[in-house]
Amino acid sequence: MVMNADEAKKKIDTLREELEQYRHEYHTLDAPSVPDYEYDQKMQELIELEEEFPDFQTADSPSQRVGGAPLDAFVKVQHDVPMLSLGNAFDDQELRDFDRRVRGGTDEDVSYVCELKIDGLAVSLRYEDGVFVRGATRGDGTTGEDITKNLRTIRNIPLRLKQPETLEVRGEAYMPKPSFNALNEAREERGDEPFANPRNAAAGSLRQLDPKIAAKRNLDIFLYGIGQWQDESSEAHSERLEQMEKLGLKTNPEWKKCNDIEEVIDYVHSWVEKRQDLDYEIDGIVIKVDRLDQQDTLGFTAKSPRWATAYKFPAEEAITTLKDIELSV
Ligand code: NAD
């Protein structure tokens, strides 16, 4: 639809207002009122309009922000290295565009690591001399919430590493599907509002002031990256994942190194259906440039790394509809 500047401004204002409201419900209240694909579509529309009408771009637009505001109920944690968001790709063409930008930015061949994008809550864990001292939510990327006591209840978070390292590691805390179903059944029996999805249940559990509640919720974690570490021995993200495992930090076993974007696309396709068999929810695939020196060369935008992107699966509702159509023909 072709719009003049006045119409575009009106549309931009409406989208911003709606998106701010959705972000607050999702990130701060853990209670979204619309499905993710609707949020993603509106965000995409806003980004395109802001590109077309750069005069209306503002630094406080939801398109420029990461996550949501931390709750006052928790002690605030400043992230030394910001916890950012990821750019998105919604189809093969956008993955090839990402690859073109990456190769243009490095002038070299690039290999990638593909990982499952776990649908949970981003957390940062700090270890000092091998001891777990602090865990925080991402919050707005710069300031998160101290949820150490709740994270200590997750059995797969080691309270002591296998070596006395000082580091900050990042990952996704999540609620496995069986725990989610059991929790919602129990809530409904008690007449409590069920959680919308496992992500909200995990986030809601970890943002409780009483750690006894989190302890009962059977949460788990996969760690996927390093925030800070003075270690120089790895040259690639894939090596880092292996090092993390050696330290006792649980990574997701399904990651794969791919030599070019076509291999990445095959990996992505292979998970569209297979993801139903996992006992946790994923909402996409994260693709990261493997070599750390190439990551450094590519750097970051204000909101996300240029060396990574998230392929988002089509909405489950859309898949069901397609299947229904196939069956009914
Ligand atoms: P994002 O979901 O696009 O991706 C960034 C996050 O992915 C990281 O912070 C990390 O937590 C996670 N992640 C999972 N596995 C990972 C891995 N292997 N490696 C690296 N990161 C991994 O970005 P976002 O800023 O967290 O949130 C935006 C998304 O949240 C939207 O695309 C939308 O789907 C959803 N959202 C929905 C609503 C709603 O109302 N329904 C509102 C706001 C946001």
Side-chain angles (χ1 to χ4, degrees), residues 117-255:
K117 185 168 184 296
I118 315 297
D119 202 5
L121 184 72
V123 296
S124 140
L125 311 180
R126 182 165 172 80
Y127 287 86
E128 282 173 11
D129 301 320
V131 178
F132 176 51
V133 293
R134 198 181 69 196
T137 63
R138 182 177 65 167
D140 64 5
T142 318
T143 310
E145 298 150 336
D146 187 331
I147 53 162
T148 313
K149 290 200 179 98
N150 289 336
L151 288 170
R152 278 182 200 280
T153 68
I154 300 183
R155 276 187 298 275
N156 276 317
I157 294 185
L159 299 183
R160 184 179 287 276
L161 299 176
K162 291 183 181 159
Q163 286 161 29
E165 296 289 341
T166 293
L167 54 84
E168 190 229 317
V169 68
R170 288 166 180 189
E172 198 84 355
Y174 68 94
M175 185 176 285
K177 287 180 199 167
S179 314
F180 170 73
N181 292 334
L183 173 65
N184 262 359
E185 266 168 40
R187 285 177 77 87
E188 280 181 64
E189 266 167 34
R190 281 200 309 268
D192 289 344
E193 187 73 20
F195 285 108
N197 53 49
R199 194 213 89 93
N200 295 118
S205 308
L206 283 171
R207 298 170 80 224
Q208 292 282 336
L209 292 170
D210 179 2
K212 283 199 207 89
I213 299 178
K216 285 193 203 130
R217 297 275 172 93
N218 292 318
L219 298 165
D220 210 331
I221 194 157
F222 286 121
L223 295 151
Y224 54 66
I226 298 289
Q228 270 182 315
W229 191 10
Q230 295 304 26
D231 171 85
E232 303 277 321
S233 61
S234 302
E235 291 182 354
H237 177 64
S238 49
E239 290 171 27
R240 282 235 158 127
L241 289 174
E242 282 158 4
Q243 272 181 311
M244 282 158 58
E245 274 290 324
K246 283 193 194 128
L247 288 173
L249 296 164
K250 188 179 170 200
T251 59
N252 185 283
E254 306 290 352
W255 66 270

Side-chain angles (χ1 to χ4, degrees), residues 22-23 25-27 32-37 39-40 65-67 84-88 115-123 138 171-172 224 283 286 288 303 310 312:
Y22 297 157
R23 271 167 32 88
E25 290 166 353
Y26 180 92
H27 287 292
S33 63
V34 295
D36 286 359
Y37 70 85
Y39 173 88
D40 289 341
R65 293 199 203 214
V66 174
L84 297 177
S85 178
L86 289 169
N88 288 328
E115 292 168 45
L116 303 187
K117 185 168 184 296
I118 315 297
D119 202 5
L121 184 72
V123 296
R138 182 177 65 167
E172 198 84 355
Y224 54 66
D283 63 335
V286 182
K288 301 174 184 169
K303 201 186 159 189
K312 288 281 181 92

